[in-house]
Amino acid sequence: MIALAESDRPVAQVLKNFGACPRCVLRFCRVGQQALYRQPHKELLAELCKFLESNKDEDNPSCETETPPSKRIKLGRMEEAEEQTPNGSHLLEVGAGTAAEGLETAVCCVCLGILQQLCEVDFVKAVCHKINSSEYEFSSFVLSVSFPPQLSVREHAAWLLVQEEIEKQGLLVGKDDLVQLKEAYKWIIHPLFLEELGVPADGKATFYPSFKCFQFLSLSHYARAHVPCSVCVFLYLLPCRHFHSPPSLPKSPCSAVDIQCTNGAIFVAGRYNKYSRTLPQTPWIIDGERKMDSSVEELISEHLMTVFKADSFNFSSSGREDVDVRTLGNGRPFAVELLNPRKVHVTAADMKALQQTINNSSDKVQVRDLQLVTREAIGHMKEGEEGKTKTYSALIWTEKVIRNEDLSPLDNMKELKIDQKTPLRVLHRRPLAVRARIIHTMRSEYIDEHHFRLHLKSQAGTYIKEFVHGDFGRTRPNLGSLLGTTADIMELDVESVDVDWPPALDN
């Protein structure tokens, strides 16, 4: 039985004359029983006709067996309408009884067929076939529905038609009290996807429905947790040539013209060592011309892209070294965001094998502690970055002759405060500012009259090269001023980045 009360009859009658489908009638009558919406459309249509027939009034010609041309309500007045819809299908007149099965159902004037054709099992099977053949791995999903702007206009037109009838009942009902189209659609379509895909829905997914002002509908199918999957079904709406208020019956329903799949991003973290002095961290491209053949991020990410079958990636790290600086010791923490990956089921053994593949592919970069992490965990890599410390080893040249004892003052300096104006070499991409930094400790190793090696631990964010040569006085004090000579840096290595992330692995 259709769950309509006697007080709903006037509203249902108006909507039926208007050309609404039975599910839209239920929505405007505020019926919230999900199972009722899932009944076959033809059964609901027959039930609606039976409900409206059950109280025929001889004074109401619309309930006679011989039904005159249908009446279309237009903002409170009646006007003649054609007996056929623009596409030739017949309107099912109230009073036609259970003969509904023999007539072609017109496209709903309110939902444009969304709660008719696009709720059919065949439609769901076609979408799921595309999903299952798209090579995506997923273990859960959540649906998101987006509608074209025309629906808002049609919904409002229908609301204006039934508002007067609702007020006659003495009910304080607002437009927001109606069952929303997207909710009704989910009630119907959700169990069908569950059955076809064979995986559970996850209501806590991080993907939320979005409404876009285009002439199409999108049904997004998104998964959650560690293996989310999203599927977008774009439904193109052919606009009516003439738009009436209330709008005339549409010539054709919404139809699915494209299906797109999108998986939630996968995040991979680890530490890398760079052993080359001719390798930038990221692609070095100036004025459209590539300066170096490869980069750290490419040597690492190209293998991740291959394994996870991702569309693209975003590379980030805890600081960065210059192209001529090596990174030694335990390496520098990094993270890679892999966008729209097809493969998401990866074990610890798979990650260990992937790490070995990266290390075997190049002698310039090696990685360790390669692992899957969450988006939230990446924040730990950046938290308090300037408060962390880094240890360096620098080969220094001095203009004047030095002796071993000349270096002993450096070894005794602790917590040396320096002021660094933005270096000239990075001024094109960094704002001009004076930054206070701390050199925590220094330890020297005498080599010869013009060379020594300096081991120093400094606050993260310190420009070590500028601390050595002074950058034309932009860093004060600097190593040259401390030694009373001109000093320059010949080689620089990062020996440690003191960030306790990601967790060390036994590999």
Side-chain angles (χ1 to χ4, degrees):
M1 292 292 294
I2 196 164
L4 294 177
E6 185 62 31
S7 59
D8 295 322
R9 188 182 301 277
V11 173
Q13 183 72 69
V14 168
L15 288 168
K16 191 66 182 65
N17 288 343
F18 174 50
C21 69
R23 289 180 175 123
C24 281
V25 172
L26 295 177
R27 293 196 301 115
F28 277 77
C29 290
R30 307 176 308 285
V31 176
Q33 300 176 20
Q34 299 185 21
L36 189 59
Y37 288 84
R38 294 167 186 158
Q39 292 183 16
H41 179 265
K42 288 186 178 181
E43 291 183 13
L44 282 175
L45 185 58
E47 288 289 336
L48 177 61
C49 291
K50 183 178 179 181
F51 170 76
L52 294 175
E53 280 185 322
S54 64
N55 190 28
K56 288 183 180 178
D57 190 335
E58 293 182 357
D59 294 331
N60 184 356
S62 66
C63 291
E64 297 292 338
T65 304
E66 296 295 331
T67 306
S70 62
K71 301 291 184 179
R72 293 293 302 280
I73 300 176
K74 185 171 182 179
L75 298 181
R77 63 185 177 88
M78 305 291 288
E79 69 176 17
E80 295 283 343
E82 295 182 359
E83 292 187 70
Q84 288 190 337
T85 63
N87 62 1
S89 61
H90 292 271
L91 279 171
L92 179 63
E93 300 296 339
V94 176
T98 56
E101 296 183 1
L103 296 176
E104 180 182 350
T105 304
V107 178
C108 177
C109 274
V110 183
C111 71
L112 299 171
I114 292 173
L115 298 182
Q116 295 170 305
Q117 290 89 335
L118 298 185
C119 292
E120 298 294 331
V121 174
D122 289 343
F123 167 73
V124 174
K125 286 185 176 181
V127 174
C128 291
H129 175 73
K130 181 67 176 292
I131 295 171
N132 291 328
S133 61
S134 61
E135 298 184 353
Y136 282 84
E137 292 180 350
F138 58 94
S139 61
S140 58
F141 72 94
V142 65
L143 295 174
S144 175
V145 185
S146 180
F147 301 126
Q150 291 91 336
L151 287 179
S152 298
V153 178
R154 291 177 177 270
E155 288 253 339
H156 187 67
W159 167 249
L160 293 177
L161 291 176
V162 304
Q163 188 177 19
E164 182 178 352
E165 296 295 338
I166 291 176
E167 291 175 350
K168 287 179 182 179
Q169 305 295 325
L171 300 175
L172 296 177
V173 178
K175 187 178 177 182
D176 293 338
D177 297 322
L178 309 181
V179 176
Q180 299 301 307
L181 176 58
K182 63 177 181 179
E183 290 301 318
Y185 187 71
K186 287 181 184 178
W187 292 346
I188 304 165
I189 210 77
H190 207 220
L192 299 178
F193 273 99
L194 284 172
E195 182 177 353
E196 286 297 320
L197 293 176
V199 295
D202 190 342
K204 297 181 180 179
T206 55
F207 181 84
Y208 297 92
S210 61
F211 291 82
K212 304 176 182 179
C213 295
F214 292 97
Q215 289 184 335
F216 65 85
L217 300 180
S218 72
L219 162 68
S220 292
H221 181 179
Y222 204 90
R224 160 79 178 149
H226 301 292
V227 282
C229 175
S230 125
V231 181
C232 297
V233 183
F234 292 97
L235 310 172
Y236 179 72
L237 174 65
L238 295 177
C240 297
R241 182 173 298 177
H242 303 288
F243 188 82
H244 303 286
S245 179
S248 60
L249 286 172
K251 293 182 179 180
S252 60
C254 294
S255 59
V257 297
D258 189 26
I259 299 173
Q260 295 182 350
C261 299
T262 305
N263 245 337
I266 291 290
F267 298 88
V268 177
R271 286 176 174 262
Y272 74 80
N273 292 107
K274 182 170 84 78
Y275 300 113
S276 171
R277 298 194 187 277
T278 59
L279 184 70
Q281 187 190 74
T282 56
W284 193 358
I285 300 174
I286 301 177
D287 296 330
E289 181 180 353
R290 191 179 185 104
K291 298 300 182 181
M292 297 287 180
D293 292 336
S294 188
S295 64
V296 172
E297 77 166 36
E298 290 170 301
L299 291 175
I300 296 174
S301 299
E302 64 182 13
H303 296 284
L304 300 180
M305 290 275 289
T306 299
V307 170
F308 288 93
K309 301 179 181 179
D311 285 349
S312 58
F313 68 91
N314 294 316
F315 184 92
S316 59
S317 64
S318 179
R320 58 187 299 151
E321 67 284 315
D322 291 336
V323 61
D324 58 346
V325 176
R326 298 185 303 177
T327 298
L328 309 176
N330 288 334
R332 185 185 298 276
F334 73 92
V336 181
E337 178 184 14
L338 296 160
L339 303 176
N340 194 22
R342 273 68 174 171
K343 183 177 179 59
V344 293
H345 297 154
V346 179
T347 65
D350 294 331
M351 294 302 295
K352 190 171 184 179
L354 176 56
Q355 175 176 294
Q356 191 61 46
T357 299
I358 295 173
N359 292 340
N360 291 340
S361 65
S362 173
D363 58 358
K364 296 180 179 180
V365 172
Q366 299 283 284
V367 299
R368 59 184 300 159
D369 301 329
L370 199 66
Q371 58 194 277
L372 293 174
V373 297
T374 64
R375 182 188 296 272
E376 293 74 21
I378 293 180
H380 298 314
M381 183 176 69
K382 297 294 185 180
E383 285 178 359
E385 192 171 73
E386 291 190 354
K388 302 294 183 180
T389 60
K390 297 182 180 180
T391 304
Y392 299 87
S393 172
L395 178 60
I396 310 298
W397 169 86
T398 60
E399 183 179 34
K400 77 172 186 179
V401 174
I402 57 171
R403 296 169 299 177
N404 191 22
E405 52 266 29
D406 295 331
L407 303 178
S408 41
L410 300 179
D411 299 337
N412 296 325
M413 289 183 182
K414 308 293 182 183
E415 308 301 318
L416 175 66
K417 295 180 180 179
I418 64 174
D419 291 323
Q420 290 196 308
K421 189 178 291 186
T422 304
L424 293 174
R425 64 187 174 95
V426 299
L427 196 55
H428 64 286
R429 55 185 173 88
R430 296 283 176 87
L432 178 61
V434 177
R435 299 170 178 84
R437 295 290 184 261
I438 297 176
I439 306 297
H440 297 291
T441 61
M442 288 186 284
R443 179 174 60 85
S444 61
E445 291 181 9
Y446 183 79
I447 297 177
D448 58 35
E449 293 179 340
H450 292 282
H451 300 89
F452 69 97
R453 185 167 292 280
L454 182 67
H455 302 273
L456 66 162
K457 177 179 287 189
S458 70
Q459 179 183 351
T462 305
Y463 292 101
I464 301 301
K465 291 180 178 178
E466 282 67 27
F467 168 67
V468 173
H469 58 64
D471 196 24
F472 301 100
R474 297 169 70 87
T475 294
R476 297 188 179 187
N478 55 71
L479 191 61
S481 65
L482 294 175
L483 294 176
T485 183
T486 298
D488 205 352
I489 191 166
M490 301 183 66
E491 292 179 354
L492 180 63
D493 294 327
V494 180
E495 293 190 333
S496 71
V497 179
D498 302 324
V499 177
D500 190 18
W501 189 89
L505 301 179
D506 185 18
N507 56 11

